[in-house]
């Protein structure tokens, strides 16, 4: 009975559904079918294949039919005298042809006429870009179609007016000049050009864009000499007055021996008007008296970095303020080659002994001062001195200015251990007081200036009286300044420009590279529980397509020696036989881009962190975002922007933050990943210093600390290489520092600047020998 009731209920339900749906189905059947729109007609007119529209009197709804274009010339050129019959083919029904008598045609619109009407609509809507595209198609497919020339003229004039009202005077002038070229008989065009030209030149003068203003005046004089003669004379007189005013100011400053101010005023006078009488002669005299070198920098950095800096910008500026007992100047068959600005360092063959001979004409420091510096506990605050002191077994002072050292163990390159500032008297002052040839000068605005610190006994005939570091956002901007004569040098080119200039170097420029490569790395904030997890760190590195960033974004698809991925923060040199690559193990390949592996390792790390949190009765705080800190340099900005995009694909929210390039602690900088540009000059000493500087000991495993310590105890180069390769493997596996890539940085300078040297370690390696030639400087200006 129960089963029967269920069946009855089910039957009534089905009947009810059918009953309610029947009217709806009937309504649907009564509705007319929607007219399908051909796919071609969904495109904008500019992208459609040609067709014509024809409307006949017998049409039921009066709508035009879309037909394939009529090929007869008399029907295409806008003629209205048509008679007889014409055979047409419907565009939507290929192959179906029929004849139509012209007397029954109400309206015929060939495709070019449709384009013309669309141009008119776009002009009315002030959509000039789209109107220009339609005119381009008209000229390409239907040249000399009636009305197109008139439309082009209106387009140029209306667009020029719109650009003028928007303040884009240069664009407005270009369009007016194009109008005059194509339609020279247009009424009032010369007056319009003069009006816009007057405003444009005056604006360039008001904005102190002197070179641009001069070029505009010269062009107007060449093209419109007769028509604009009064305006041209007024402009030239204005520039001459401004230039003479600066020349008079410079002469007064020269009388007051303010050569810096006089040089600035004279440069400005020549920038305004290079033909000013006696301007070049005055500039040449000032360059002799006050040679000022202006350098465009893409990595400004700290004006006065700490002595122990390892960053690219820090090592550049450090040379201005500090002179170490020994300084690396290049590479030989066995590591770095060193010189001492204070004397000589003699190393016997057995490598146990080291003699430091100081010259009284170079430094007041004696052998006794050095001996005291090694023994005074206060000097152990200097990490370089503190690292050397335990290795010394015996010290002997000979003839006051010679100190002989005997080491407990032989060292393959003991000169590398003497990279500290020799001090006389009190050695307890920290930070280390500067002893270099230059000091910072406070200036207004952006940039850094340095002036000599007293007289230099090593100075050339005309050493720089001032060095200016002027910041630029991009290499392209810096190159424009170099070509205009505003700067003498660019300290660092982006890799793509370096690759191009290495092949195509202008005659008045010199392109060179620094001998030591630069490593670009990310230092993780190991106080962050996620970044403390090794699997999470590995996952992040797998999620960055470093090869794409280096090859496409930085190199622009070009090749440049020394620019490559690295598998650890150890320099690989320009080639496998490069002496600086002795610590790099080529058998360890850099991690490739594997986003699936990246996600898997992140998930694994989350599971591990959750288990640890549960074991400690704590809740795991989810990772909300990653903050990446980077210095204000061109390469780091481009790289970090790319990294953010790759992390976004992994579901990681990222934020970029500009930080001090000398920051060493990500926690203190309030970032999760710290981007650092490290210059490793001598891997044997610089790599251990890098890990000591950026990674606290508590985060280094015992094996890692042992491997770092063993490097300094190597007795020969074979041991150095073997121990470095062990460290390389540990650095690759532990990933305490993320290796991104290595770059061979290039710089470019004008030939007027001599004494820079060939392939220096840092920019200012031979700064005392720099020589600015006045004749070249004036010629370039």
């Amino acid at each position: 009975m129960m089963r029967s009731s269920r069946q009855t209920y089910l039957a009534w339900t089905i009947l009810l559904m059918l009953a309610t749906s029947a009217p709806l189905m009937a309504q649907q059947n009564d509705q007319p079918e929607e007219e399908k729109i051909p796919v071609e007609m969904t495109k904008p007119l500019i992208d459609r294949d040609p067709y014509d529209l024809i409307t006949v009197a017998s049409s039921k709804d009066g709508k035009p039919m879309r037909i394939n274009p009529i090929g007869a010339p008399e029907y295409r050129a806008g003629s209205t005298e048509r008679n007889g019959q014409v055979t047409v083919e419907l565009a939507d029904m290929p192959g179906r042809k029929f004849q139509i008598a012209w007397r029954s045609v109400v309206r015929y619109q060939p495709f070019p006429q449709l384009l013309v009407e669309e141009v008119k609509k776009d002009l009315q809507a002030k959509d000039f870009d789209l109107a220009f595209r339609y005119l381009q198609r008209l000229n390409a497919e239907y040249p000399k179609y009636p009305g197109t020339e008139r439309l082009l003229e209106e387009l140029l004039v209306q667009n020029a007016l719109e650009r003028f009202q928007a303040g884009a005077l240069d664009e407005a002038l270009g369009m007016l000049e194009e109008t005059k070229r194509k339609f020279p008989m247009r009424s009032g065009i010369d007056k319009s050009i003069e009006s816009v030209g007057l405003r444009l030149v005056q604006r360039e003068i008001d904005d102190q864009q002197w070179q641009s203003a001069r070029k505009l005046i010269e062009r107007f004089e060449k093209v419109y000499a007769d028509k604009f003669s009064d305006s041209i004379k007024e402009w030239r007189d204005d520039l001459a007055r401004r230039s003479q005013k600066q020349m008079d100011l410079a002469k007064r400053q020269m009388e007051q021996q303010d050569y810096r101010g006089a040089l600035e005023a004279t440069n400005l006078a020549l920038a305004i008007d290079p033909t000013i009488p006696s301007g070049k002669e005055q500039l040449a005299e000032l360059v002799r008296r006050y040679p000022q070198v202006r350098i465009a920098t893409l990595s400004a950095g700290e004006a006065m970095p700490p002595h122990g800096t390892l960053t690219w910008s820090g090592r550049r500026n450090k040379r201005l303020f500090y002179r170490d007992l020994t300084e690396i100047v290049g590479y030989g068959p066995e590591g770095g080659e060193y010189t001492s600005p204070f004397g000589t360092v003699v190393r016997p063959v057995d490598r146990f002994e080291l003699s430091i001979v100081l010259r009284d004409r170079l430094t007041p420091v004696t052998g006794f001062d050095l001996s005291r510096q090694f023994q005074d506990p206060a000097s152990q605050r200097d990490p370089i001195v503190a690292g050397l002191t335990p290795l010394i077994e015996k010290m002997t002072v000979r003839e006051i200015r010679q100190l002989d050292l005997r080491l407990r163990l032989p060292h393959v390159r003991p000169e590398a251990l003497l990279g500290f500032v020799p001090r006389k008297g009190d050695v307890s002052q920290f930070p280390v007081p500067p002893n270099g040839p230059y000091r910072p000068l406070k200036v207004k605005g952006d940039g850094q200036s340095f002036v000599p610190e007293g007289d230099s006994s090593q100075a050339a005939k005309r050493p720089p009286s001032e060095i200016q570091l002027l910041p630029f956002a991009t290499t392209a901007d810096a190159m424009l300044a170099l070509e205009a004569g505003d700067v003498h040098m660019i300290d660092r080119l982006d890799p793509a420009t370096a690759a191009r200039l290495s092949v195509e170097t202008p005659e008045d420029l010199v392109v060179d590279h620094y001998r030591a490569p630069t490593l670009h790395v990310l230092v993780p904030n190991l106080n962050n529980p996620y970044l403390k997890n090794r699997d999470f760190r590995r996952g992040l590195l797998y999620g960055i397509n470093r090869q794409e960033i280096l090859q496409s974004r930085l190199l622009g698809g070009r090749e440049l020696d020394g620019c490559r991925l690295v598998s650890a923060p150890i320099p690989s040199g320009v080639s496998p036989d490069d002496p600086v690559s002795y610590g790099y193990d080529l058998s360890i390949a850099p991690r490739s881009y594997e986003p699936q592996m990246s996600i898997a390792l992140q998930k694994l790390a989350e599971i591990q962190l959750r288990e640890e949190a549960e074991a400690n009765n704590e809740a795991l705080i989810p990772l909300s975002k990653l903050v990446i800190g980077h210095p204000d340099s061109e390469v780091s900005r481009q790289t970090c922007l790319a990294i953010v995009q790759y992390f976004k694909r992994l579901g990681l929210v990222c934020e970029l933050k500009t930080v001090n390039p000398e920051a060493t602690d990500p926690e203190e900088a309030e970032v999760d990943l710290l981007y650092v540009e490290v210059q490793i000059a001598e891997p044997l000493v610089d790599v251990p210093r890098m890990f000591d500087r950026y990674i606290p000991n508590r985060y280094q495993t015992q094996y890692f600390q042992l491997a770092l310590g063993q490097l300094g105890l190597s007795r020969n180069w074979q041991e150095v290489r073997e121990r470095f390769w062990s460290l390389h493997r540990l650095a690759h596996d532990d990933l305490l520092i993320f290796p991104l890539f290595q770059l061979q940085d290039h710089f470019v300078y004008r030939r007027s600047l001599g004494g820079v040297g060939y392939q220096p370690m840092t920019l200012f390696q031979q700064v005392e020998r720099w020589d600015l030639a006045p004749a070249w400087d004036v010629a370039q200006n």
Side-chain angles (χ1 to χ4, degrees):
M1 184 74 182
M2 207 175 209
R3 184 175 177 185
S4 175
S5 298
R6 269 187 205 161
Q7 291 176 344
T8 304
Y9 174 77
L10 183 60
W12 277 107
T13 303
I14 294 172
L15 287 172
L16 182 61
M17 291 173 63
L18 290 172
T20 55
S21 64
L24 180 61
M25 294 172 64
Q27 291 175 13
Q28 290 176 346
N29 291 333
D30 290 342
Q31 291 178 354
E33 291 186 6
E34 288 188 13
E35 184 179 352
K36 292 184 179 181
I37 301 176
V39 176
E40 183 68 18
M41 296 301 288
T42 61
K43 301 177 184 177
L45 181 63
I46 188 72
D47 297 325
R48 296 178 196 171
D49 293 333
Y51 62 87
D52 296 344
L53 293 180
I54 190 167
T55 307
V56 296
S58 59
S59 174
K60 191 191 315 183
D61 52 8
K63 291 183 178 180
M65 293 185 294
R66 198 164 64 94
I67 62 175
N68 289 333
I70 300 175
E74 61 269 21
Y75 301 120
R76 311 298 303 164
S79 173
T80 56
E81 296 181 4
R82 305 184 181 105
N83 50 49
Q85 292 186 334
V86 62
T87 302
V88 299
E89 180 182 6
L90 294 177
D92 299 330
M93 302 178 67
R96 184 172 178 180
K97 299 180 181 179
F98 51 92
Q99 289 187 333
I100 299 178
W102 272 115
R103 63 176 179 274
S104 64
V105 173
V106 176
R107 189 182 185 192
Y108 171 61
Q109 298 167 278
F111 190 71
Q113 185 61 37
L114 298 178
L115 297 176
V116 166
E117 292 172 3
E118 193 63 34
V119 172
K120 293 178 180 178
K121 292 179 184 176
D122 293 333
L123 286 177
Q124 190 173 2
K126 297 189 182 302
D127 191 346
F128 302 117
D129 290 340
L130 188 56
F132 183 71
R133 287 183 60 201
Y134 277 103
L135 283 173
Q136 278 186 313
R137 183 167 183 182
L138 274 165
N139 288 329
E141 299 179 16
Y142 309 98
K144 299 182 179 180
Y145 190 81
T148 54
E149 288 296 304
R150 177 63 180 168
L151 287 173
L152 176 59
E153 182 180 354
E154 287 303 312
L155 169 64
L156 289 170
V157 173
Q158 289 188 33
N159 201 0
L161 177 61
E162 186 270 335
R163 292 285 78 203
F164 175 78
Q165 292 171 343
L169 300 180
D170 51 346
E171 295 179 28
L173 180 63
M175 291 173 187
L176 288 174
E177 290 186 324
E178 180 67 8
T179 305
K180 179 176 173 60
R181 187 180 70 82
K182 286 183 173 293
F183 311 102
M185 303 307 295
R186 181 176 177 90
S187 174
I189 190 65
D190 289 336
K191 194 66 178 175
S192 298
I193 291 175
E194 183 178 15
S195 175
V196 175
L198 281 168
R199 287 173 171 79
L200 180 58
V201 172
Q202 191 59 49
R203 188 183 70 178
E204 297 299 288
I205 292 175
D206 293 341
D207 293 345
Q208 299 185 4
Q209 299 297 319
W210 312 114
Q211 187 179 29
S212 176
R214 291 200 318 269
K215 287 184 176 180
L216 282 170
I217 294 171
E218 290 168 3
R219 188 161 69 85
F220 286 145
E221 187 173 30
K222 181 179 179 181
V223 180
Y224 309 106
D226 297 336
K227 299 182 177 67
F228 297 173
S229 56
D230 293 340
S231 299
I232 291 170
K233 184 179 184 304
E234 183 179 342
W235 291 332
R236 290 201 179 279
D237 290 344
D238 183 26
L239 292 180
R241 283 193 300 271
R242 293 171 183 262
S243 181
Q244 189 59 52
K245 183 179 179 181
Q246 294 299 321
M247 286 291 292
D248 295 340
L249 173 62
K251 288 176 182 177
R252 292 195 298 270
Q253 291 170 325
M254 288 178 69
E255 292 172 357
Q256 300 168 5
Q257 295 188 351
D258 180 9
Y259 298 121
R260 185 176 190 272
L263 182 63
E264 183 178 348
T266 304
N267 271 318
L268 180 55
L270 285 167
I272 297 173
D273 183 6
T275 65
I276 188 76
S278 72
K280 294 180 180 180
E281 292 78 9
Q282 182 168 300
L283 178 61
E285 179 62 26
L286 281 168
V287 171
R288 289 189 185 94
R289 295 188 183 187
Y290 192 86
Q292 181 191 69
V293 177
R294 300 179 298 277
I295 303 172
T297 178
L298 281 304
S299 307
E302 275 194 13
M304 194 169 181
H307 176 265
T309 180
L310 291 174
T311 66
W312 185 91
S313 61
R315 287 204 151 176
R316 176 200 62 201
N317 283 17
K318 172 189 171 182
R319 175 60 178 80
L320 295 175
F321 305 114
Y322 298 103
R323 299 306 308 267
D324 293 335
L325 185 58
T326 60
E327 297 172 350
I328 186 169
V329 294
Y331 297 106
E334 295 185 345
E337 293 184 339
Y338 293 81
T339 63
S340 175
F342 306 107
T344 57
V345 176
V346 181
R347 173 169 53 91
V349 178
D350 64 3
R351 294 175 177 168
F352 275 97
E353 296 180 353
L354 199 64
S355 295
I356 304 169
V357 182
L358 303 169
R359 306 297 181 191
D360 54 0
R361 64 181 179 83
L362 300 179
T363 177
V365 177
T366 66
F368 291 107
D369 295 320
L370 278 182
S371 176
R372 191 181 304 113
Q373 187 172 353
F374 284 129
Q375 298 178 66
D376 194 324
S379 66
Q380 301 305 303
R381 291 176 59 188
D382 185 338
I384 299 175
V385 176
L388 174 60
T389 303
L391 303 178
I392 300 174
E393 182 181 50
K394 182 182 178 182
M395 289 184 290
T396 305
V397 178
R398 298 182 187 276
E399 300 178 358
I400 301 178
R401 292 195 168 274
Q402 179 174 332
L403 178 65
D404 295 339
L405 302 178
R406 181 168 179 81
L407 305 179
R408 300 181 188 278
L409 294 171
H411 196 281
V412 294
R413 189 59 69 193
E415 303 97 317
L417 304 175
L418 303 178
F420 61 90
V421 174
R423 301 166 71 175
K424 187 177 182 67
D426 184 14
V427 296
S428 62
Q429 185 179 350
F430 285 91
V432 177
N435 67 335
Y438 282 81
R439 60 180 173 83
L441 177 70
K442 290 184 178 180
V443 293
K444 296 180 180 179
D446 297 333
Q448 303 166 4
S449 286
F450 311 100
V451 293
E453 183 68 77
D455 294 331
S456 175
S457 59
Q458 304 164 5
K461 192 173 182 180
R462 275 192 307 273
S465 296
E466 181 183 357
I467 297 173
Q468 291 185 343
L469 284 178
L470 307 174
F472 284 80
T474 65
T475 298
D477 293 338
M479 285 299 298
L480 289 175
L482 183 69
E483 293 165 1
D486 296 333
V487 297
H488 302 94
M489 172 186 284
I490 302 175
D491 69 342
R492 194 182 195 186
L493 299 170
D494 73 76
T497 303
R500 176 176 58 82
L501 286 180
S502 298
V503 179
E504 307 166 357
T505 307
E507 291 183 3
D508 60 335
L509 300 179
V510 178
V511 178
D512 200 357
H513 68 80
Y514 300 102
R515 186 63 185 87
T518 306
L519 295 175
H520 292 249
V521 301
L522 289 174
V523 178
N525 182 354
L526 298 175
N527 292 319
N528 183 321
Y530 286 88
L531 291 166
K532 187 179 178 181
N533 184 284
R534 186 174 67 170
D535 288 326
F536 188 83
R537 296 198 300 270
R538 288 176 174 176
L540 289 182
L541 192 58
Y542 273 120
I544 304 173
N545 192 344
R546 295 178 290 160
Q547 185 64 44
E548 187 274 335
I549 295 174
L550 175 62
Q551 193 63 38
S552 301
R553 297 176 186 255
L554 299 182
L555 286 170
R558 296 173 179 260
E559 296 291 335
L560 190 63
D561 290 341
C563 298
R564 60 172 64 93
L565 300 189
V566 288
S567 54
I570 300 171
S572 66
V574 178
S575 59
D577 60 349
D578 191 334
V580 75
S581 66
Y582 60 79
Y584 193 84
D585 187 355
L586 290 172
S587 67
I588 303 176
R591 286 183 173 88
S592 58
Y593 175 55
E594 299 182 31
Q596 294 83 2
M597 177 68 77
S598 174
I599 294 173
L601 287 172
Q602 288 181 53
K603 296 297 182 185
L604 176 61
E606 289 177 6
I607 293 172
Q608 294 170 352
L609 291 170
R610 190 173 292 108
E611 290 175 351
E612 292 176 8
E614 291 174 355
N616 297 325
N617 294 321
E618 298 174 351
L620 177 64
I621 300 175
L623 183 66
S624 58
K625 66 178 179 181
L626 282 174
V627 181
I628 305 176
H630 64 88
D632 190 14
S633 67
E634 183 179 23
V635 171
S636 69
R637 283 194 301 270
Q638 293 183 38
T639 303
C640 287
L641 286 171
I643 290 174
V644 167
Q645 295 301 317
Y646 282 114
F647 281 175
K648 188 179 293 185
R649 297 176 189 177
L650 303 175
L652 296 172
V653 178
C654 288
E655 179 182 306
L656 293 181
K657 179 182 179 181
T658 303
V659 299
N660 188 322
E662 298 304 324
T664 59
D665 183 2
E667 179 78 10
E668 186 177 323
E670 299 181 344
V671 298
D672 298 300
L673 293 169
L674 180 64
Y675 191 106
V676 185
E677 300 169 341
V678 184
Q679 189 182 57
I680 302 296
E682 183 69 87
L684 184 60
V685 294
D686 286 343
V687 168
R689 287 175 187 168
M690 175 184 64
F691 280 101
D692 182 63
R693 189 171 179 81
Y694 291 99
I695 306 298
N697 286 340
R698 65 181 181 275
Y699 294 118
Q700 300 176 17
T701 65
Q702 292 182 348
Y703 298 106
F704 197 87
Q705 292 182 34
L706 179 63
L708 286 174
Q710 289 293 321
L711 281 179
L713 303 178
S714 304
R715 295 172 176 265
N716 53 60
W717 282 106
Q718 183 61 31
E719 286 188 3
V720 169
R721 293 184 182 91
E722 291 175 355
R723 292 175 179 181
F724 243 123
W725 293 342
S726 298
L727 176 66
H728 188 148
R729 173 56 66 182
L730 289 171
H732 177 266
D733 293 344
D734 290 353
L735 210 61
L736 295 174
I737 293 179
F738 293 20
L740 296 177
F741 41 77
Q742 170 189 281
L743 293 182
Q744 190 79 48
D745 286 312
H746 286 65
F747 61 99
V748 59
Y749 60 96
R750 287 157 49 185
R751 292 189 182 275
S752 59
L753 182 62
V756 176
Y758 175 68
Q759 295 183 4
M761 298 295 292
T762 62
L763 182 65
F764 299 121
Q765 179 172 305
Q766 298 183 174
V767 68
E768 293 90 351
R769 301 179 186 175
W770 283 15
D771 184 9
L772 186 60
W776 275 93
D777 203 59
V778 172
Q780 182 66 26
N781 192 299

